[in-house]
Structures are given as C-alpha cells and as structure tokens.
C-alpha cells in the first residue's frame, strides 16, 4: 500500500462549467479541491461556441423553452427537471454576468444580444461572439483561483472512486469518500478523501472516431460511477453535430449551429441543390440536430460524398464577419473565405445525452456521490439535447449539488481511514502500442457500427469486439502500472459497452437513436436504465 493522502471537505473531479460552478457555490463554507486531468481549461466548456439558452426578453416564455426542450427530447425528458432548469436559467445568466462574462449586448445596449438556434422557437441564446464557452471558462477559473478555499489541481487523473470497500473496515453501503488519482508529474497514485465527491468529468465523445469533443472526453466519470455501483441511463442517445468542418489537416472544428440560425444553407456539392426541403420542409436548416445530421449522412451515403456544403455567403460580408469572427478567421487561414465560399462540413459526435442517473439535487445512487454536467443524466435532454441547454445544465446543477451538500452537511459521514493504492503486483508496461491500437479500434468500430444510423446486427458486431477487448484490457490493467492513456482506454471501453448495451435494449427509433430494425417510435417513452 502506498501514496499520499490529501483530505478536503468536498472533492470535485472536473474543472469545466459544472465543476467550477459547484466549487464557487461551496467555497464560502467548505475547503474544496478541484481536479482536472490535464490543464484546467481543457474540457468541453472552453470549446462551446454558440451560447447559453435562457428566457430573457418579453415575448418569450418559460413554457415555450420547456416545450422546445421536450419536443427536441422526443418526449423522453423529465418535465420536472426541464422546468427546474429553464426556470433557473435567467438567474444563472445574471450570476455569470456578475462574475464578469462579457455577454454581447443588444444594439441599443438595453439588454443582451440573443441569437436563435435550431429547435428554439424564439431568440434566447446569450453569447460572447462565437466563443462563449471560452469566456465562461476564463471567468469561472479566475474566480475559483482567487478564492482561498478552493485548491485547483491540474494534471491529476482520477482512476476510481474511493468507496466503503476501500475503508479499513468494510461497511458495504457503497458510501463514496473521494478518488484515487494519478499524479501525472510524479507518476504516483494519490488518495483524495472528502465527505462529498462531485463528478463533473464531462462526456464520452472520444469513443467515436469523429467527435467535436476534446481529447479528454473519454467517459471517465460515467465508467467510475458504474464500477462503483451507480445506475447509468440513456447512453444510446449520442448527439451528432451536423456541421463539423471537413478538413484533413484540422480535424473536428465545429461550425456552430448559429450559422444555420443566421441563414446558412446546406447544399449538396454534387447537385448544387439545397437539400433540407426534402427532409424537413417546414423547419429546413433549423430542424433539430438529429434530423439535420441524418439528412447530411443520407446525402453523403447516397451520392458517395466526403462532405456537404454549408453556405452563408449570400449574407452581407460585414454581417458574416461580425457574427462569426472566430470561424471567419480560422477558415480564412485554411483558404476558405466564408463571405464568398461554402464551408465543407460532415456530422461528428458532439454531446453525450446519457450518463450517471441523478436527482434534482445532483445526487447519484451512492451516498456522498454527486454528478453534474455532461457526465450526468438528469432528465433534461431526454432522447436529444436542445442546442445551448447543456452549459445551462452545468450551472443549474452545479449550484443545486452545492446547496444540497451545504444543507445536509451534518448527515454526510467523515471518511474513515482509507487503504492506499496497491502497486505491489504491477510492473511498467513494455507494450504501450497495445493501448494505441485498442484505442483506435474502439473509436473506429463505434463510428462504423454504433453511429447515426444503427442496426441490431451492427450493434451485436460492436458488442462482440467489446467482449474480446475487455478481457485484454482488464488483463493489461491488472498487470501494469497505470498511465493516463491506460486509465482512459479502460473507461472508453466501459463507456462503449454501456452505449451498445443501451442501444440494443431500445426496440424503437426515438430522438438520437435511429435503427433500421425498429424504425418506428413506440407509444410510450421509457428510459433505458442500466443497473450494475
Ligand atoms: C465544440 C463544442 C461546442 C459546444 N457548444 C455548446 C454551446 O454553444 N452551448 C452549450 O450549451 N453547450 C455546448 N457544448 C456542450 C458543452 O460545452 C458541454 O456539455 C459542457 O461544457 C460540459 O461541461 P462539464 O463541466 O460537464 O465538462 P467539461 O467542460 O468537459 O469538463 C470536464 C472536466 O473534467 C475533467 N476530467 C475528466 N476526466 C477526468 C479524470 N479522470 N480525472 C480528473 N479530471 C477529469 C477534465 O479535465 C475537465 O476539467 C459544446 C461542446 C463542444 C465539444
């Protein structure tokens, strides 16, 4: 048994919007540590372009935002959760503004400038140009760094949750008291203990070959919670963003939904024709993401294309540059002047709707363990996420979990003495190539067999490969010293297994889950809940 132990009141794994919001809400009363597996700003939050949805101007209503969310979610959303998030949205935006997030103002300066995105029936997206997430991440990080009660710990990779079975006396109730984490600089595993632990580890997009998510989106929190005994739900609902830049040099650069919101048209480069009228005559390019992604996928497959075009060049050049300064600059550097040229785009995995089951306080099934943000399944998104609702979920649930911890502090048990990480039976690996090979293999078969359009046969093929790899990777994990790549590979495979198992359980097509074997939507909407 070895390693250092550090004790805090509350431990938060993840330094994105969800984790930092929780930290800032806890810090007035508690000593909080926030772990990130790389740099603090490297999660998906900093990458968000479009903005945050909230009802902020006369004429818009909570009912309308709730309804839009439920329609996008294919009726699988939990209405109470949707109402909770929507009604708390304006206050969350006000708090971000107080923290210094420089949201764009309206032309007359009287309010915020609001954009409209696919699936929203009203302009309700606050934004900071087209780099909202970066502005939010910087403001939260600055506030957290300045708080004496918050310790920010980058380059610390959580491996597994510390539960009651790691206590010196086994209690068997599954209570969670922190994490074991790999200190990247030292190459050593440390034990972090706390009365309450919050998973804010983001999504699992990197389980797919093409994904707009950052490199670290490997489903770590979902896999850790599952291994510890939490239920996981709706993992089959993986959102594919319809418009990711197609470029062999710069892979996975997202072209925000707002380009379609401001009039961008999707054109088939083979026919030169706008194709959305054939797929959704009413909503056209503003149809929800799953509809647009499937339409692009169908055009690409039907015409044997590498990409389709997204064209905004019919709008005045100043309008385009003013609304999309970052995309304009980035693409100009790649030889595409979006004021004149169409943008080549493909769909790519973008958002993980499913995750660790939580309640309105962010509580998971295990005492002492909370989950907030993209790692969780709160009931907000149902079978498909409405654009710009996800950052919002991070702020609302980050605060809700913090409140619950504060109110129930006296009932949360202090950690008992915990056994350190056992490295006595492992050696350094001499076969790192195995990790790289398996990583690529998972991402490729998930893309080919568990992508936008599914069949039972393809899902079973994926399941078969997962079974073979599981034995190999667990054997590897049991014999060699952990590395960040090995931790991620193990979690990636676990997440892939949960996605495929969930997809096989759903005998209908709904929202983001579309299978040729069950193309119809069942009358009753039921969550796919997996229990360990
Ligand atoms: C390109 C892109 C554009 C987007 N645009 C929008 C948008 O306009 N509006 C919107 O609402 N949403 C958008 N989203 C979605 C949104 O950004 C995410 O859902 C949200 O930021 C998730 O925040 P989070 O705090 O849950 O996780 P993240 O911001 O992803 O943070 C995860 C954190 O967990 C840490 N972590 C993970 N695993 C471990 C581990 N094992 N040990 C230690 N730390 C760990 C990471 O280091 C990181 O700090 C977009 C997403 C992408 C990828």
């Amino acid at each position: 048994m070895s390693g250092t132990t550090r004790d805090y009141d509350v431990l938060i794994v993840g330094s994105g919007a969800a984790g930092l919001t929780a930290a800032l809400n806890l810090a007035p009363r508690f000593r909080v540590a926030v772990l990130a597996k790389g740099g603090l700003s490297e999660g998906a939050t900093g990458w968000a372009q479009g903005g945050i949805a909230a009802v902020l101007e006369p004429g818009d209503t909570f009912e309308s935002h709730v309804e839009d969310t439920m329609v996008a979610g294919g009726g699988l959303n939990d209405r109470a959760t949707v109402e909770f998030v929507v009604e708390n949205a304006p206050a969350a935006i006000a708090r971000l503004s107080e923290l210094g997030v420089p949201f764009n103002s309206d032309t007359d300066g009287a309010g915020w400038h609001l954009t409209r995105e696919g699936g929203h029936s009203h302009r309700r997206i606050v934004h900071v140009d087209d780099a909202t997430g970066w502005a939010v991440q910087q403001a939260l990080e600055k506030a957290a760094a300045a708080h004496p009660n918050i310790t920010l710990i980058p380059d610390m990779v959580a491996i597994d949750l510390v539960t009651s079975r790691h206590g010196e006396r086994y209690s068997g109730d599954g209570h969670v008291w922190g994490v074991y984490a790999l200190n990247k600089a030292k190459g050593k595993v440390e034990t972090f203990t706390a009365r309450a632990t919050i998973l804010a580890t983001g999504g699992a997009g990197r389980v797919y070959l093409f994904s707009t998510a950052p490199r670290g989106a490997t489903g770590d929190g979902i896999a850790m919670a599952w291994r510890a005994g939490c239920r996981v739900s709706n993992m089959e609902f993986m959102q594919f963003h319809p418009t990711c830049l197609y470029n062999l040099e710069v892979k996975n650069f997202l072209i925000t939904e707002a380009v379609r919101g401001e009039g961008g048209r999707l054109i088939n480069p083979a026919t030169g024709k706008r194709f959305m009228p054939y797929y959704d005559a009413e909503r056209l390019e503003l149809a929800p993401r799953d509809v647009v992604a499937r339409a692009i996928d169908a055009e690409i497959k039907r015409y044997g294309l590498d990409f389709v075009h997204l064209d905004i060049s019919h709008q005045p050049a100043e309008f385009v540059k003013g609304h999309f300064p970052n995309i304009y600059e980035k693409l100009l550097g790649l030889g595409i002047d979006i004021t004149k040229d169409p943008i080549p785009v493909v769909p790519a995995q973008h958002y993980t709707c499913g995750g660790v089951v939580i309640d309105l306080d962010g509580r998971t099934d295990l005492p002492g363990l909370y989950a907030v943000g993209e790692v969780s399944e709160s009931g907000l998104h149902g079978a498909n996420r409405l654009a710009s609702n996800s950052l919002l979920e991070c702020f609302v649930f980050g605060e809700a979990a913090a409140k619950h911890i504060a109110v129930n502090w006296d009932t949360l048990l202090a950690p008992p003495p915990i056994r350190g990480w056992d490295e006595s039976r492992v050696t350094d690996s001499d076969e790192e190539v195995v990790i790289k090979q398996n990583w690529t293999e998972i991402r490729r078969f998930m893309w080919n067999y568990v992508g936008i359009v599914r069949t039972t046969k393809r899902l079973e093929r994926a399941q078969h490969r997962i079974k073979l790899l599981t034995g190999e990777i667990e054997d590897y994990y049991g014999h060699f010293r952990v590395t960040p790549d090995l931790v991620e590979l193990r979690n990636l495979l676990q997440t892939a297994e949960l996605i495929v198992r969930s997809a096989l359980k759903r005998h209908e097509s709904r929202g983001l889950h579309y299978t040729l074997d069950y193309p119809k939507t069942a009358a009753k909407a039921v969550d796919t809940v997996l229990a360990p």
Side-chain angles (χ1 to χ4, degrees), residues 401-442:
K403 267 192 192 145
H404 190 269
I405 290 169
V407 170
N408 296 281
W409 184 247
D410 293 337
T411 67
L412 290 162
L413 302 177
I418 297 293
R419 275 182 273 133
W421 186 254
D422 186 0
E423 283 198 305
S424 57
R425 282 172 299 122
V426 294
T427 58
D428 283 329
S429 158
D430 55 359
E431 280 194 288
E432 287 296 314
V433 66
V434 174
I435 293 181
K436 210 170 250 170
Q437 165 64 28
N438 286 343
W439 179 287
T440 313
E441 190 178 337
I442 295 167

Side-chain angles (χ1 to χ4, degrees), residues 71-72 119 239-242 257 260 266 275-299 347 383-385 452-453 511-514:
V71 168
Q239 186 171 64
F240 288 80
H241 195 288
E257 209 88 65
R260 285 182 284 123
L266 285 162
F275 56 82
M276 279 315 293
Y278 304 116
Y279 295 92
D280 196 317
E282 208 177 305
R283 294 174 293 185
L284 302 165
E285 278 83 358
L286 287 182
R289 286 188 170 154
D290 57 323
V291 177
V292 180
R294 266 205 302 279
I296 297 176
D297 190 59
E299 291 288 302
N384 190 4
R385 173 188 75 129
I452 295 174
V453 176
L512 298 162
H513 176 71
Y514 184 75

Side-chain angles (χ1 to χ4, degrees), residues 208 234-237 446 449-450 454-467 496-509 513-515 517-518 528-530:
Y208 287 97
N234 291 349
M235 287 301 293
E236 68 274 39
F237 298 114
M446 287 299 286
Y449 299 156
V450 198
R454 298 164 179 173
T455 66
T456 302
K457 205 169 170 188
R458 283 187 218 153
L459 292 173
E460 284 170 352
R461 281 203 179 117
Q463 197 172 46
H464 179 63
R465 277 167 175 72
I466 289 168
K467 270 193 194 133
E497 196 270 331
L498 294 169
I499 296 169
V500 172
R501 200 169 353 147
S502 302
L504 279 166
K505 274 189 94 169
R506 186 165 292 280
H507 292 178
E508 61 161 350
S509 291
H513 176 71
Y514 184 75
T515 163
D517 293 306
Y518 303 98
T528 308
V529 182
L530 303 179

Side-chain angles (χ1 to χ4, degrees), residues 130-351:
D130 55 354
T132 311
W134 186 250
V136 167
Q137 178 74 30
Q138 295 317 303
L140 291 172
E141 244 180 79
K142 195 170 159 206
H147 205 294
N149 268 353
I150 300 179
T151 309
L152 297 169
I153 310 177
D155 294 318
M156 190 65 75
V157 187
I159 304 170
D160 258 322
L161 292 165
V162 169
T163 69
S164 50
R165 67 173 189 272
H166 302 103
E168 283 182 357
R169 273 192 308 276
Y170 178 71
S171 80
D173 67 353
H175 203 295
V176 173
W177 279 298
V179 298
Y180 293 111
L182 175 63
N183 183 326
K184 278 164 111 176
K186 295 189 176 152
K188 290 274 172 225
V189 178
E190 301 186 10
T191 309
F192 287 81
T193 55
R195 271 205 212 190
T197 303
I198 303 180
L199 289 172
T201 46
R206 285 296 171 130
V207 80
Y208 287 97
L209 190 59
F210 295 104
S211 169
T212 63
R215 163 77 177 65
T218 49
D220 296 5
I222 298 170
M224 282 191 279
W226 172 258
R227 285 194 292 267
C230 290
R231 282 171 307 151
V232 162
S233 161
N234 291 349
M235 287 301 293
E236 68 274 39
F237 298 114
M238 274 288 172
Q239 186 171 64
F240 288 80
H241 195 288
T243 55
C244 176
L245 174 71
Y246 177 83
N247 183 290
L248 296 180
E249 298 294 310
V250 181
K251 290 189 187 111
N252 307 340
F253 179 73
L254 178 82
I255 309 296
T256 169
E257 209 88 65
V259 173
R260 285 182 284 123
E262 297 301 337
R265 295 170 187 158
L266 285 162
I267 313 277
N268 180 322
T271 61
K273 284 197 180 139
R274 188 177 180 187
F275 56 82
M276 279 315 293
Y278 304 116
Y279 295 92
D280 196 317
E282 208 177 305
R283 294 174 293 185
L284 302 165
E285 278 83 358
L286 287 182
R289 286 188 170 154
D290 57 323
V291 177
V292 180
R294 266 205 302 279
I296 297 176
D297 190 59
E299 291 288 302
I300 285 177
K301 293 214 165 98
R302 187 160 165 219
Y303 288 87
L305 307 170
D306 285 330
F307 53 81
V308 297
H309 277 143
L310 175 60
D311 193 5
I312 184 94
S313 63
H314 53 279
Q315 296 282 27
E318 285 318 307
F319 174 92
V320 173
K321 285 191 225 169
H323 276 75
F324 308 110
N326 287 305
I327 297 178
Y328 172 74
E329 286 299 330
K330 176 90 179 173
L331 268 61
L332 201 60
L334 296 170
I336 303 167
D337 179 349
I338 65 168
T339 65
K340 297 190 187 116
D341 309 318
I343 309 166
V345 292
V346 283
Q349 189 288 341
H350 184 56
Y351 186 79

Side-chain angles (χ1 to χ4, degrees), residues 8 11 24 44 52 76 116 141 153-154 213 246 254 267 287 313 353 362 400 438 444-445 469 487 524:
Y8 294 89
L11 180 71
L24 289 168
I52 309 161
L76 198 64
R116 184 173 166 196
E141 244 180 79
I153 310 177
Y246 177 83
L254 178 82
I267 313 277
S313 63
C353 290
N438 286 343
R444 200 169 280 281
F445 72 66
L469 284 174
V487 170
K524 197 165 170 228

